[in-house]
């Protein structure tokens, strides 16, 4: 019988024994129907993310911090520390960055991402990461909303960034990661800034970031609507990093004779890849193996060339590795722990992947949101119920509420709400969105249907949100509808998710055409494709006479799905 069999009496006993260790002499559920974390509380220091990242640097200063999985280009911890000090000093001295200025980072996964992040934080900047596949229109929107003062990018995307600056009528410095020394016209050399040995780094003493100060400003659609700036403080991020160092720790400690290696294939601009993989694993001295772009052949080469110990994946990558013949078991023999997040993953896909691994390999699903910095729940080593996403992190609390915000009890399904030190400060300049997402006393509505069992383990049942999940990416229907309506022939539009074998879901648009206007499916899809990243592009278009809406004007997407999909 397969080793991952889920619902057996033996498994239930093992599960209870495991949880019994966690919650020994502790009640997870309170009398008010609030589920507490079974993990020990942590102390959260009032320091900046930059300070936390180098707290123990001397323990692994000479070890490799990051290596490009394709080129082998690598840096030690002390090299990244030195470069980020120089970069931070030059950002303040030469480029006049001040405390609280927003710095845009539009880069693929690469070792230099770390220097860029830490250098920007050293300078007192707030980092707003961007998808390198964004169009000029998408970049322009984020530049404007975040009031970005400076942006990092690579040569391949310089023209797109310049077009975005024209659209936003902004003139800000563009720093290009130019490792070969070549530099596009009108840009600034990253190489010169980080190799400037004469810059006085004492200027960084002017920076005095506190826990309550903002550190990151990623953009997320939250539970619905257009992208919003998620204000993450130093305390939010530091808390989420330390929360991963407790009983749910998945890495082995870095010593003189041992260093875990982690695959960095998740986008570093995405909060999951940014915090859980990049920042956290750097903070504990691991070797980060970066994957700049997913291509089957190069991905398999990376698996074969590095003895990787930890994977943090999205469902499509798990499915790929389980089904792709060239991903051989011998490439995965050093794997100790695999965490899957970003979207639910069927047990059959997990078992197909696990068939290539050693029996001792640990596989879990985790859960989080950009608004939770992002990790909200995780599982301890030994958890084997792949239908669950783990337990609330230390210092965190969960509630399940009904439509009237009343608390429900164990194993009852309702909306999951979360409270903890990793919950965002709020959405930037958006009081209406904050009013919708926050309940009393700092409880965050997730927009997800879930249940919490008697031990505190969470199962995500369904999504209340209207976001379309394409691979691990969020596609807000409202954004695509807005783009569709920019077409001169379109009177009204609605976008819904439809199933897709490869990506999980894909966007489909329903279009109402203006009187006498002539337009076809290809016209609409081409128009949208020029204005959004590839994963957001429409895959189907249907023309209808009227978009169904409720009395308040809200689109009834479920009606469209039931009638046409």
């Amino acid at each position: 019988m397969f080793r991952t069999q889920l619902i057996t009496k033996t498994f239930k006993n093992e599960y209870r024994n495991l949880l019994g260790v966690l919650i020994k002499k502790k009640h997870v559920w309170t009398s008010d129907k609030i589920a507490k974390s079974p993990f020990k509380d942590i102390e959260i220091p009032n320091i900046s993310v930059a300070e936390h990242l180098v707290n123990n640097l001397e323990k692994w200063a000479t070890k490799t911090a990051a290596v490009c999985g394709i080129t082998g280009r690598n840096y030690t911890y002390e090299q990244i520390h030195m470069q980020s000090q120089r970069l931070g000093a030059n950002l303040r001295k030469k480029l006049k960055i001040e405390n609280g200025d927003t710095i845009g980072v539009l880069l693929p996964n690469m070792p230099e991402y770390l220097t860029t992040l830490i250098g920007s934080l050293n300078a007192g900047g707030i980092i707003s990461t961007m998808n390198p596949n964004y169009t000029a229109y998408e970049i322009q929107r984020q530049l404007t909303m975040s009031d970005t003062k400076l942006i990092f990018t690579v040569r391949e995307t310089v023209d797109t960034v310049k077009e975005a600056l024209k659209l936003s009528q902004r003139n800000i410095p563009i720093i290009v990661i130019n490792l070969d020394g070549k530099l596009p016209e009108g840009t600034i050399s990253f190489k010169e800034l980080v190799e400037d040995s004469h810059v006085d780094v004492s200027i960084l003493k002017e920076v005095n970031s506190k826990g309550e100060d903002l550190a990151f400003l990623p953009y997320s659609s939250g539970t619905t609507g257009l992208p919003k700036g998620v204000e993450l403080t130093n305390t939010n991020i530091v808390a989420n990093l330390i929360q991963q160092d407790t009983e749910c720790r998945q890495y082995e400690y870095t010593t003189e004779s041992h260093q875990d290696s982690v695959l960095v294939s998740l986008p570093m601009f995405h909060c999951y890849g940014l915090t859980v993989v990049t920042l956290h694993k750097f903070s504990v001295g691991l070797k980060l193996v970066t994957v700049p772009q997913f291509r089957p052949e190069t991905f398999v080469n990376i698996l074969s060339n590095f003895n990787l110990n930890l994977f943090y994946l999205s469902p499509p990558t798990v499915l790929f590795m389980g089904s792709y013949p060239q991903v051989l078991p011998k490439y995965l023999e050093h794997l100790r722990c695999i965490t899957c997040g970003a979207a639910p993953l069927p047990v059959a896909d997990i078992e197909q992947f696990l068939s290539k691994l050693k029996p001792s390999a640990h596989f879990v699903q985790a859960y989080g949101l950009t608004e939770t910095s992002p990790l909200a729940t995780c599982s301890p080593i030994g958890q084997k119920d792949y239908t669950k996403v783990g337990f609330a992190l230390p210092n965190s609390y969960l509630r399940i509420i009904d439509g009237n915000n009343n608390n429900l009890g164990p194993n009852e399904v309702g909306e999951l709400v979360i409270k903890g030190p990793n919950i965002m400060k709020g959405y930037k300049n958006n009081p209406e969105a904050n009013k919708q997402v926050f309940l009393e006393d700092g409880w965050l509505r997730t927009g997800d249907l879930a249940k919490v069992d008697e031990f505190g383990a969470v199962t995500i049942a369904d999504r209340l949100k209207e976001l379309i999940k394409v691979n691990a990416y969020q596609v807000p229907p409202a954004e695509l509808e807005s783009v569709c309506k920019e077409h001169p022939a379109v009177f009204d539009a609605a976008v819904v998710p439809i199933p897709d074998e490869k990506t999980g879901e894909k966007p489909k648009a329903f279009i109402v055409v203006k009187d006498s206007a002539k337009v076809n499916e290809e016209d609409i899809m081409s128009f949208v494709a020029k204005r959004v990243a590839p994963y957001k592009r429409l895959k189907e278009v249907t023309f209808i006479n009227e978009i169904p809406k409720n009395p308040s004007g809200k689109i009834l997407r479920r009606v469209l799905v039931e009638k046409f999909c």
Side-chain angles (χ1 to χ4, degrees):
M1 191 169 287
F2 196 78
R3 64 177 179 179
T4 61
Q5 183 179 13
L6 299 178
I7 315 298
T8 65
K9 185 175 181 180
T10 300
F11 167 74
K12 286 183 177 179
N13 289 334
E14 290 177 354
Y15 179 49
R16 287 192 174 96
N17 289 338
L18 168 67
L19 297 178
V21 173
L22 283 174
I23 61 175
K24 183 169 55 177
K25 296 183 180 179
K26 293 175 70 175
H27 296 288
V28 173
W29 286 88
T30 70
S31 58
D32 295 329
K33 296 183 179 179
I34 295 173
K36 301 187 296 183
S37 171
F39 304 118
K40 295 178 183 177
D41 281 351
I42 57 172
E43 290 187 13
I44 304 165
N46 183 21
I47 60 175
S48 70
V49 175
E51 290 174 291
H52 179 76
L53 292 177
V54 298
N55 257 349
N56 295 301
L57 186 72
E58 70 282 354
K59 294 181 181 179
W60 40 72
T62 59
K63 291 188 178 295
T64 300
V67 54
C68 174
I70 294 178
T71 67
R73 184 177 73 258
N74 63 86
Y75 303 93
T76 64
Y77 274 86
E78 60 186 0
Q79 286 175 324
I80 287 181
H81 177 60
M82 177 182 65
Q83 289 182 353
S84 62
Q85 290 274 301
R86 292 172 177 173
L87 177 59
N90 275 319
L91 290 180
R92 291 191 72 90
K93 189 173 183 63
K94 295 180 179 179
L95 298 170
K96 308 305 178 185
I97 289 296
E98 299 179 355
N99 294 352
D101 282 348
T102 301
I103 296 174
V105 178
L106 187 131
L107 298 172
N109 287 12
M110 59 196 316
E112 292 75 20
Y113 213 118
L114 278 159
T115 298
T116 301
L117 293 176
I118 302 171
S120 298
L121 293 171
N122 284 342
I126 300 168
I127 298 170
S128 189
T129 56
M130 305 180 193
N131 187 337
N133 293 318
Y134 270 179
T135 65
Y137 294 90
E138 292 165 310
I139 297 170
Q140 170 263 327
R141 183 191 298 124
Q142 188 163 333
L143 288 174
T144 302
M145 293 177 69
S146 63
D147 191 22
T148 296
K149 306 294 185 185
L150 174 153
I151 188 167
F152 288 85
T153 192
V154 290
R155 276 203 302 267
E156 290 79 1
T157 48
V158 164
D159 290 343
T160 307
V161 170
K162 287 183 176 179
E163 184 181 351
L165 292 176
K166 287 182 181 179
L167 289 170
S168 62
Q169 299 182 336
R170 302 174 73 87
N171 182 22
I172 63 173
I174 303 172
I175 299 177
V176 176
I177 313 294
N178 62 325
L179 303 178
D180 59 4
K182 298 178 182 178
L183 196 65
E185 184 179 353
T187 64
I188 297 167
S189 168
F190 174 86
K191 182 179 174 67
E192 290 183 8
L193 295 177
V194 300
E195 292 182 356
D196 181 6
S197 60
H198 301 294
V199 65
D200 184 3
V201 297
S202 66
I203 194 174
L204 299 181
K205 294 178 181 179
E206 297 175 0
V207 179
N208 187 24
S209 297
K210 297 289 194 305
E212 65 270 19
D213 296 329
L214 296 188
F216 288 89
L217 187 66
Y219 273 72
S220 168
S221 297
T223 57
T224 186
L226 294 169
K228 298 176 279 288
V230 178
E231 297 179 314
L232 299 177
T233 67
N234 284 294
T235 293
N236 291 154
I237 298 295
V238 170
N240 210 226
L241 302 184
I242 298 176
Q243 284 169 324
Q244 297 174 64
D245 295 332
T246 56
E247 295 105 317
C248 50
R249 174 174 58 87
Q250 298 174 341
Y251 63 91
E252 288 188 3
Y253 293 118
T254 301
T255 65
E256 289 186 8
S257 58
H258 177 81
Q259 183 187 31
D260 272 353
S261 295
V262 58
L263 181 74
V264 190
S265 60
L266 288 169
M268 296 168 85
F269 70 81
H270 189 278
C271 206
Y272 180 14
L274 174 69
T275 303
V276 178
V277 186
T278 304
L279 297 178
H280 178 252
K281 300 310 176 286
F282 182 89
S283 74
V284 292
L286 272 60
K287 179 191 291 185
L288 282 69
V289 181
T290 62
V291 183
Q293 188 175 8
F294 182 85
R295 291 192 178 94
E297 289 185 6
T298 54
F299 189 82
V300 171
N301 286 339
I302 291 171
L303 296 181
S304 65
N305 291 333
F306 294 89
N307 296 330
L308 295 160
N309 308 112
L310 301 174
F311 278 2
Y312 293 86
L313 307 174
S314 61
T317 310
V318 174
L319 181 59
F320 165 79
M321 288 199 286
S323 60
Y324 197 63
Q326 281 73 26
V327 177
L328 303 177
K330 66 179 181 180
Y331 300 157
L332 309 173
E333 61 184 5
H334 295 278
L335 264 181
R336 189 175 63 258
C337 185
I338 306 96
T339 300
C340 185
L345 183 64
V347 172
D349 294 341
I350 297 172
E351 293 182 342
Q352 185 178 31
F353 175 48
L354 287 175
S355 67
K356 295 186 177 185
L357 305 182
K358 296 188 300 184
S360 59
H362 173 62
F363 187 100
V364 295
Q365 297 199 70
Y367 172 79
L369 310 162
T370 303
E371 291 82 353
T372 59
S373 302
L375 196 62
T377 69
C378 68
S379 299
I381 297 293
Q383 164 85 346
K384 291 186 178 181
D385 186 344
Y386 308 126
T387 64
K388 300 183 188 297
V389 294
F391 309 88
L393 295 176
N395 304 53
S396 298
Y397 303 84
L398 307 176
R399 288 162 58 193
I400 299 294
I401 60 173
D402 62 16
N404 296 315
N405 296 342
N406 297 314
N407 287 355
L408 301 176
N411 296 307
E412 293 186 285
V413 176
E415 183 180 1
L416 176 66
V417 294
I418 303 174
K419 184 178 180 180
N422 52 318
I423 302 299
M424 69 170 179
K425 180 179 180 181
Y427 294 123
K428 181 179 175 65
N429 298 331
N430 201 331
E432 184 58 35
N434 288 329
K435 185 178 178 181
Q436 293 175 6
V437 78
F438 282 113
L439 296 176
E440 77 292 342
D441 200 24
W443 287 91
L444 178 81
R445 303 185 68 143
T446 67
D448 286 314
L449 288 174
K451 63 180 179 180
V452 180
D453 71 14
E454 62 270 32
F455 302 111
V458 180
T459 301
I460 302 299
D462 201 355
R463 285 188 292 131
L464 289 174
K465 13 178 127 162
E466 295 178 338
L467 294 175
I468 302 168
K469 282 290 187 74
V470 178
N471 288 330
Y473 298 120
Q474 297 177 342
V475 180
E479 180 181 355
L480 291 180
E481 290 159 358
S482 177
V483 174
C484 287
K485 290 178 184 178
E486 293 175 10
H487 192 289
V490 174
F491 172 71
D492 203 358
V495 175
V496 302
I498 57 176
D500 184 88
E501 290 185 1
K502 293 183 178 179
T503 62
E505 292 179 338
K506 60 185 177 183
K508 174 174 181 170
F510 293 90
I511 302 294
V512 178
V513 178
K514 293 178 180 177
D515 291 342
S516 73
K518 293 184 178 180
V519 66
N520 60 35
E521 295 178 20
E522 186 56 41
D523 292 336
I524 299 295
M525 289 194 288
S526 177
F527 180 84
V528 173
K530 292 177 182 178
R531 289 162 171 76
V532 300
Y535 66 90
K536 295 182 185 177
R537 292 174 183 171
L538 296 174
K539 301 302 181 184
E540 292 185 19
V541 173
T542 295
F543 294 98
I544 57 177
N545 294 325
E546 185 181 16
I547 302 295
K549 298 179 181 178
N550 68 10
S552 65
K554 184 177 180 180
I555 296 172
L556 299 174
R557 294 190 175 87
R558 186 176 295 276
V559 173
L560 289 170
V561 172
E562 292 173 352
K563 187 174 181 179
F564 295 101
C565 301

